[in-house]
Amino acid sequence: MSVDDWARVQQLFDELCDCPHDERASRLAAADAPDSVKEQVAELLVHDDAVNLDRVAEQVRSAAETLDGASVAGTDIGPWRLLRRIGAGGMGDVFLAERADGRFDARAAIKFVAGSGENALQLFDRERRVLARLDHPAIARMFDAGEHPRLGAYLVMEYIEGRPLDQHVAVERLEPLAVVEWITRVAEVLAHAHGRLILHRDLKPAHLLITPDDQLKVLDFGIAGLLASADDGSNTAPGSYTPRYASPEQIVHQATTTRTDLFALGLLLHELLSDGRPAFGPDPEHWLRRKLAGQRDPLSRHAGIDARRWRDLDAIVGRCLAPPEEPGYASVSELDADLRAVLDDRPVRARTGGTLESVRRWIRRHRLASASTAIALAAVLAGAGASLWFAREAQIERDIAVTETAKARQITRFLEEVFTTATPGIGQGPDTTVRVLLDEGAERIQRDLGDRPEITAYLELAIARSYMFLGLYDEAFDLLDRPPPDPLPADAGTWIERAIVTARVDLLRGRYQDALDGLDVLLDQPMDDLMRARVELRRAEALVNLGDTDGARIAAERTQTLADESPDGLTQRASAFNMLGAIAYNEGRLEEARERFIELLDVHLAHYGELHATTSMTLFNLGGVSLAQGDVDGALDYYRRAVAAFEALFGVDNRTVAMGHRAYGIAYQRAGDAEAAERHLVRALTALENWNGRESPVWQEAGLKLVELHLLTDRIDQAAALLAELPSRAVDDLSSHQLVACRTERLQALLGLTPPPTADCTAGRTLPAFARALEHLVEARLASSQDPAAFNRAIDAGRAAQAELSVPEPLLDVAFAALDR
Amino acid sequence: MSSTDDPVDPDLHARTVNDGEEGVERYHQDLYRIARRELQRMMRGGTIDTVALVNEAYLRVQNSDRRWNDRGHFLASMTTIIRHVLIDYARERNAQRRGGDWQQVTASVLDRVPGPEEPIDLIALESALSKLGERSPRMEKVVELRVFGGLTSQEIADALDTSTATVTRDMRLASAFLAKALADA
């Protein structure tokens, strides 16, 4: 039937349907329309009085009901049969179920979840494997998950009989310390889960059941995160949570971390100790603002516990509920330790304030910087002729990460944020080292996300970067060592970023040519100015290490130009500026170097203050320039500040700190203060050995410095003892390392520790004037009584070398003066 | 337990409106997801009332997204989806009953003159509606909005951008058409 015919049908029907029935037939017959139309209208008119649409609607409603009726009970879900509904909420409905096959007597709670997207099953399956790692008697287990065609996605969980913790506390009228005891048990369970990289994310009394035989059972572990992951992606929200117990990061949709669970536990502790009064006031409308601002109500005084312990508990709650920018507990184990301290009546950490606070704050600030950019800090190494020491951001962060577990945990938190953002279900616990977390992350990426190259590429990058910060360069390289897709995908940024990080790893491994090759390939790629600035900065670093100072300068200048054009280029610009200062220093343009570093120092002091890695590096570099310019007092002052900052930032046994002491010692040597010089050089040497053992060329170089000091101050036995422990072979072909090895070899031979070398290790190079003067000094001392001719030759040669010194060496003067007598 | 103890519905978070094709596509995907979820929610509760469902769905999401602010549009779209989801379920159900071999179920409304409680054959209704749609897509829509969504004539007129008089006339003819089609089936 054509549309036109239907229009005629409707027209006729409209005309006739309101007519009295007996008139319809005659009027239809008289109508001017094709017979086929008339036939249809006649038939339709027959049915006109039979049905109206509202009745159809009623019938549809009945039909829909019979589709399932009230028959949800009795429905089989896999091997389970639903018995009755035991709970309902915005997140879904919970049914009690029993085994349908009757094979064994078991009951389960089946939770139907609200969202069920296309890939719900796939995600469920993945998360289920994660949750399967939770095997703890106090954690209700998850048996199965799936999707029922009518009832939606579901989880099968262990059914627990018991009452919620808050009811238990109220009914049993538990004393505050008994409440604390329960919370420590919850903390213990959380520590177990966090150690297996799983967060709860929805801690609340209803999820903490106390069974009739007084056991704690934690329900719904990781379910909130799982629900977030089960969503089909049309949702920007990071999952379900309970507003009352939600942490600030959940409310503002940031990554959930161990802190999320700690926050909820703090709230719980507060409520259980305050007869159920929420810590952020009774009015839900104000929770968000007050949580973000950290405006909690203090615990009100409670009978049955002494005032000091009550204050301790209040401090503990406060630490759990700290707003995001303030330091909280680093792990649930820390909280557990504090709670147990209250139970045992010992001092708690929450009130003493950690000595690590400044480090934590620094890391937090620093993390922001490193997340967006990467800074290369070129530090001028004092006193070692033309050699440069490049302190890199990675080295600094590695210093922090490895020095102490407590500090490493802070880095870990960063990692875990990286992971939880991209893959729900992961948290970080105290039992897990950073390394384990990384390995786990890398493995997880391969296993779960192999089919999502864009996410894989990004996560591998994050983990590789973390490996790099930990000094695990080979692991980092292996993870990144995979060719990019060809052509590059739309988000080529990740791949360019990977190439830059690969180059950084190569730089750190001393593979400067590989780094440069990798970076040169990038020069043809389209990218924004900031990214290009970073490429050029790394190129400058590679080039300067390859001895191409001109190339390095050009690259550093390009970095600066590019960074100038980018609003976020401040750190790149500063790094390039620093690099140019270092190059100027390296090429002997000391005044230019000084001007650059002083300008940088002003900027950094204004931006970061004195106690900041970047500031302290600039201070350190200024010390080197001052020393080279003969401004010993200035150098001492800069080094004093730099070393103080290093120690505050990095602790004691740390490479950066050691390098600070080393330079400080050399400055004292130049000032003629042998005692202070020795003190700092010994500290440098000890720290380096504790840090990295004796294998590193840095330890060898610092050892040589101390040997030289001993020789200057006429302590040949001490010098010989230390010299005997120094290797005389360079670890690689870097000219500065070879020079150190060569000088070591010559001094060892001079003191008779080894036979005279068959070949001259200087290989045609001229040793620095100071080294030559020192050798002649030793020769003169050894020859003094027996061989006056040799003695005089040595004195003359030493005096000649001394005259070549660009800066005074007062201890050398004193030594020669003593011999002259 | 106060209402604030309930977990937040993940849908109750602001989103932004996408423009262009992708936005339209996304809009319908989201609607479909909401419809499915609401239907499952109802089925778990043991009853299905498509009219209540469509309206409850609107109440649940109206604060979450600017896209859902146009009530008429939301109800209309949601109703369409609910109809399809419901019919899918009915087919699935029949398939299960018949061991997978689905056949058209015949039922004569006229023969049995069903009372309000007597269920209609959803699949036959669907078939009739499709035939109606071949003749007049607007009428199919009118029936759908009335029967599955419970919209008033005014709401239907608004949603379809037409007059209530047209809707009233459409409903009458459509009723007759459906009755005939179901009787013939």
Side-chain angles (χ1 to χ4, degrees):
Chain A
M1 140 155 293
S2 75
V3 173
D4 285 344
D5 283 349
W6 181 251
R8 288 288 294 134
V9 169
Q10 178 162 27
Q11 194 191 345
L12 258 182
F13 181 86
D14 285 348
E15 281 172 24
L16 299 179
C17 67
D18 284 329
C19 295
H21 281 225
D22 47 2
E23 289 176 26
R24 282 179 175 177
S26 55
R27 290 186 63 166
L28 183 59
D32 174 24
D35 287 347
S36 65
V37 169
K38 288 184 184 178
E39 259 171 52
Q40 284 198 58
V41 173
E43 284 182 343
L44 286 168
L45 285 171
V46 170
H47 291 279
D48 178 43
D49 54 358
V51 174
N52 66 50
L53 278 186
D54 290 335
R55 190 150 166 213
V56 174
E58 279 300 313
Q59 292 167 338
V60 165
R61 186 199 299 253
S62 308
E65 277 177 13
T66 61
L67 271 185
D68 287 278
S71 61
V72 176
T75 305
D76 286 351
I77 307 283
W80 300 95
R81 179 163 297 148
L82 298 184
L83 293 178
R84 61 188 159 87
R85 180 141 66 166
I86 51 176
M91 224 196 310
D93 304 297
V94 186
F95 287 84
L96 179 61
E98 63 177 6
R99 286 290 290 204
D101 53 15
R103 287 225 317 256
F104 48 91
D105 182 29
R107 297 211 283 181
I110 295 191
K111 184 167 202 150
F112 290 95
V113 297
S116 60
E118 310 251 314
N119 52 358
L121 268 181
Q122 194 190 339
L123 282 159
F124 270 15
D125 197 46
R126 178 191 308 163
E127 293 304 324
R128 199 151 51 89
R129 273 181 287 152
V130 174
L131 293 176
R133 280 180 302 187
L134 283 184
D135 187 16
H136 190 284
I139 295 178
R141 281 177 304 149
M142 179 163 145
F143 296 134
D144 201 1
E147 187 158 11
H148 187 269
R150 280 175 295 113
L151 306 181
Y154 63 86
L155 306 165
V156 185
M157 291 175 294
E158 185 182 359
Y159 175 69
I160 309 287
E161 256 175 295
R163 63 184 173 206
L165 181 56
D166 54 347
Q167 277 182 31
H168 182 75
V169 168
V171 172
E172 303 290 327
R173 298 171 179 277
L174 293 185
E175 292 294 316
L177 290 182
V179 170
V180 172
E181 178 79 40
W182 277 114
I183 296 289
T184 61
R185 293 214 221 162
V186 178
E188 210 177 283
V189 176
L190 280 181
H192 173 89
H194 289 180
R196 280 150 191 79
L197 312 174
I198 295 165
L199 300 176
H200 190 292
R201 287 202 180 92
D202 194 17
L203 277 178
K204 56 181 173 183
H207 286 156
L208 302 169
L209 294 188
I210 311 299
T211 62
D213 55 347
D214 232 22
Q215 298 298 310
L216 168 74
K217 284 279 190 179
V218 183
L219 307 187
D220 278 14
F221 232 106
I223 302 296
L226 196 154
L227 293 184
S229 70
D231 196 272
D232 59 7
S234 59
N235 230 317
T236 53
S240 314
Y241 56 84
T242 308
R244 181 168 179 156
Y245 299 100
S247 65
E249 62 271 15
Q250 280 177 305
I251 299 171
V252 300
H253 304 168
Q254 285 176 355
T256 46
T257 70
T258 48
R259 205 160 159 155
T260 309
D261 284 349
L262 275 162
F263 192 90
L265 202 53
L267 279 169
L268 208 61
L269 181 59
H270 181 104
E271 293 187 10
L272 294 177
L273 292 174
S274 316
D275 302 323
R277 282 189 296 278
F280 292 97
D283 188 350
E285 279 184 24
H286 295 151
W287 286 343
L288 168 60
R289 183 183 49 78
R290 293 188 58 176
K291 280 178 179 178
L292 289 172
Q295 288 172 350
R296 70 183 180 98
D297 294 338
L299 281 181
S300 45
R301 187 74 181 87
H302 198 291
I305 186 168
D306 62 81
R308 189 180 44 75
R309 285 210 262 188
W310 196 252
R311 280 197 303 274
D312 285 350
L313 283 174
D314 189 56
I316 289 171
V317 170
R319 206 169 168 86
C320 290
L321 301 183
E325 68 280 6
E326 277 177 30
Y329 282 109
S331 72
V332 72
S333 297
E334 271 186 31
L335 167 66
D336 193 27
D338 263 4
L339 290 173
R340 286 181 196 284
V342 170
L343 293 175
D344 301 346
D345 207 5
R346 289 183 283 110
V348 303
R349 212 181 325 188
R351 289 186 65 200
T352 53
T355 51
L356 296 172
E357 269 331 296
S358 63
V359 178
R360 285 186 181 150
R361 271 195 288 275
W362 179 81
I363 294 168
R364 253 193 300 282
R365 281 200 305 272
H366 192 69
R367 195 170 68 211
L368 292 176
S370 65
S372 56
T373 56
I375 317 161
L377 297 165
V380 177
L381 183 61
S387 75
L388 273 174
W389 174 52
F390 286 93
R392 297 172 186 87
E393 174 192 33
Q395 275 170 337
I396 295 168
E397 298 202 26
R398 172 188 169 185
D399 289 353
I400 301 160
V402 187
T403 310
E404 283 179 50
T405 340
K407 294 178 189 172
R409 234 182 264 147
Q410 298 291 330
I411 297 286
T412 309
R413 185 177 279 178
F414 158 69
L415 297 175
E416 130 212 332
E417 279 168 17
V418 170
F419 293 154
T420 47
T421 310
T423 53
I426 290 199
Q428 164 57 21
D431 305 328
T432 314
T433 65
V434 180
R435 175 68 191 270
V436 169
L437 176 67
L438 290 173
D439 291 346
E440 163 74 25
E443 191 201 314
R444 218 175 123 93
I445 290 172
Q446 302 297 338
R447 192 184 60 211
D448 296 340
L449 294 164
D451 56 338
R452 304 183 68 179
E454 73 293 349
I455 295 180
T456 311
Y458 173 77
L459 281 180
E460 281 177 349
L461 175 62
I463 292 179
R465 197 180 261 144
S466 309
Y467 274 135
M468 180 177 75
F469 290 157
L470 293 176
L472 303 168
Y473 304 134
D474 292 340
E475 283 84 348
F477 186 84
D478 289 346
L479 206 52
L480 293 172
D481 188 23
R482 174 156 76 81
D486 185 28
L488 278 180
D491 60 330
T494 300
W495 288 95
I496 293 174
E497 187 76 39
R498 282 172 70 113
I500 295 177
V501 173
T502 307
R504 282 184 72 188
V505 172
D506 277 335
L507 287 171
L508 290 164
R509 297 197 297 177
R511 301 187 180 176
Y512 304 115
Q513 191 60 51
D514 288 349
L516 187 63
D517 293 346
L519 290 165
D520 284 348
V521 171
L522 290 181
L523 292 177
D524 299 333
Q525 290 291 334
M527 64 183 91
D528 63 20
D529 285 346
L530 190 61
M531 194 75 99
R532 198 169 292 282
R534 293 173 54 200
V535 172
E536 290 289 358
L537 186 63
R538 298 297 167 203
R539 285 188 71 245
E541 200 178 323
L543 286 165
V544 86
N545 279 294
L546 289 167
D548 182 356
T549 314
D550 288 337
R553 187 173 47 242
I554 292 166
E557 282 167 356
R558 262 191 223 141
T559 307
Q560 241 186 322
T561 314
L562 289 164
D564 277 345
E565 286 164 17
S566 169
D568 300 322
L570 186 70
T571 39
Q572 263 69 32
R573 192 175 184 281
S575 296
F577 206 79
N578 193 38
M579 176 78 75
L580 286 169
I583 291 170
Y585 169 88
N586 218 16
E587 291 181 331
R589 288 176 280 113
L590 298 178
E591 197 47 42
E592 183 196 330
R594 174 189 282 273
E595 281 166 14
R596 283 186 181 274
F597 290 138
I598 283 183
E599 192 180 328
L600 260 186
L601 182 64
D602 288 343
V603 172
H604 288 157
L605 281 174
H607 265 86
Y608 308 119
E610 178 118 358
L611 269 188
H612 189 277
T614 311
T615 312
S616 54
M617 277 302 162
T618 310
L619 285 168
F620 184 80
N621 284 353
L622 269 169
V625 174
S626 302
L627 207 54
Q629 288 187 314
D631 175 11
V632 179
D633 289 342
L636 282 174
D637 191 48
Y638 284 129
Y639 282 139
R640 181 185 51 74
R641 290 164 67 185
V643 169
F646 287 163
E647 284 196 344
L649 293 171
F650 308 131
V652 181
D653 284 340
N654 169 280
R655 179 184 155 127
T656 305
V657 174
M659 297 316 273
H661 279 298
R662 178 193 165 285
Y664 204 5
I666 291 166
Y668 268 121
Q669 183 180 315
R670 293 274 176 79
D673 186 343
E675 203 185 312
E678 185 175 349
R679 201 167 58 236
H680 287 289
L681 285 176
V682 167
R683 282 185 68 176
L685 206 57
T686 315
L688 283 171
E689 186 171 347
N690 290 341
W691 175 246
N692 230 1
R694 292 183 165 199
E695 299 306 312
S696 82
V698 202
W699 180 82
Q700 188 183 350
E701 200 273 343
L704 181 63
K705 280 279 167 257
L706 189 56
V707 166
E708 289 174 347
L709 183 66
H710 288 325
L711 291 174
L712 279 175
T713 50
D714 201 10
R715 287 174 291 167
I716 289 193
D717 291 347
Q718 276 177 276
L722 180 53
L723 202 49
E725 297 180 38
L726 297 181
S728 57
R729 259 198 322 277
V731 289
D732 56 40
D733 57 0
L734 269 190
S735 70
S736 61
H737 294 167
Q738 283 183 328
L739 189 63
V740 168
C742 180
R743 285 165 71 181
T744 305
E745 181 186 315
R746 288 168 64 94
L747 285 175
Q748 284 169 341
L750 196 58
L751 294 188
L753 299 171
T754 55
T758 49
D760 181 10
C761 65
T762 57
R765 282 178 305 192
T766 312
L767 285 178
F770 174 76
R772 281 180 281 128
L774 186 70
E775 283 182 12
H776 294 309
L777 174 71
V778 175
E779 283 166 4
R781 283 220 188 93
L782 293 172
S784 59
S785 49
Q786 300 96 328
D787 189 346
F791 175 81
N792 285 330
R793 273 201 310 279
I795 291 288
D796 289 345
R799 286 294 193 191
Q802 212 184 347
E804 291 177 39
L805 287 175
S806 54
V807 288
E809 286 282 354
L811 291 177
L812 199 60
D813 296 340
V814 171
F816 275 117
L819 282 180
D820 277 347
R821 274 189 282 111
Chain B
M1 192 189 274
S2 74
S3 64
T4 49
D5 274 341
D6 289 336
V8 168
D9 187 312
D11 274 316
L12 299 185
H13 292 288
R15 261 166 292 188
T16 52
V17 183
N18 283 331
D19 294 317
E21 283 294 308
E22 197 191 331
V24 173
E25 181 72 9
R26 176 74 173 270
Y27 180 92
H28 282 284
Q29 280 176 8
D30 286 358
L31 272 178
Y32 186 81
R33 193 169 48 78
I34 294 168
R36 227 170 108 87
R37 194 190 57 196
E38 294 294 320
L39 199 59
Q40 287 172 345
R41 193 198 296 276
M42 281 208 150
M43 283 185 171
R44 292 199 295 267
T47 56
I48 299 171
D49 178 342
T50 57
V51 174
L53 192 158
V54 167
N55 286 281
E56 278 174 24
Y58 179 71
L59 290 177
R60 236 187 278 278
V61 303
Q62 62 171 342
N63 289 325
S64 71
D65 193 325
R66 281 187 285 136
R67 289 181 300 168
W68 312 139
N69 280 356
D70 179 352
R71 179 169 181 273
H73 190 193
F74 177 87
L75 293 182
S77 308
M78 183 56 96
T79 301
T80 308
I81 290 164
I82 287 293
R83 169 185 158 196
H84 291 309
V85 172
L86 191 65
I87 299 300
D88 282 349
Y89 279 140
R91 289 205 173 112
E92 207 174 88
R93 219 5 213 255
N94 272 343
Q96 279 169 0
R97 266 193 210 131
R98 292 162 189 279
D101 181 25
W102 178 74
Q103 296 166 3
Q104 170 105 22
V105 181
T106 58
S108 165
V109 179
L110 265 193
D111 287 352
R112 295 189 283 133
V113 195
E117 298 86 24
E118 191 144 354
I120 201 167
D121 183 330
L122 287 173
I123 293 157
L125 174 66
E126 177 64 15
S127 167
L129 259 178
S130 302
K131 281 183 197 148
L132 179 61
E134 285 164 20
R135 291 162 173 80
S136 166
R138 188 187 66 216
M139 273 190 210
E140 182 186 7
K141 207 73 194 156
V142 167
V143 173
E144 179 184 289
L145 294 178
R146 185 63 162 201
V147 168
F148 291 94
L151 270 67
T152 64
S153 300
Q154 184 64 56
E155 285 168 340
I156 295 171
D158 290 347
L160 301 180
D161 204 15
T162 184
S163 68
T164 49
T166 303
V167 171
T168 308
R169 279 191 288 120
D170 279 357
M171 287 204 292
R172 184 150 182 188
L173 175 55
S175 296
F177 181 88
L178 289 180
K180 176 183 173 308
L182 287 168
D184 292 348

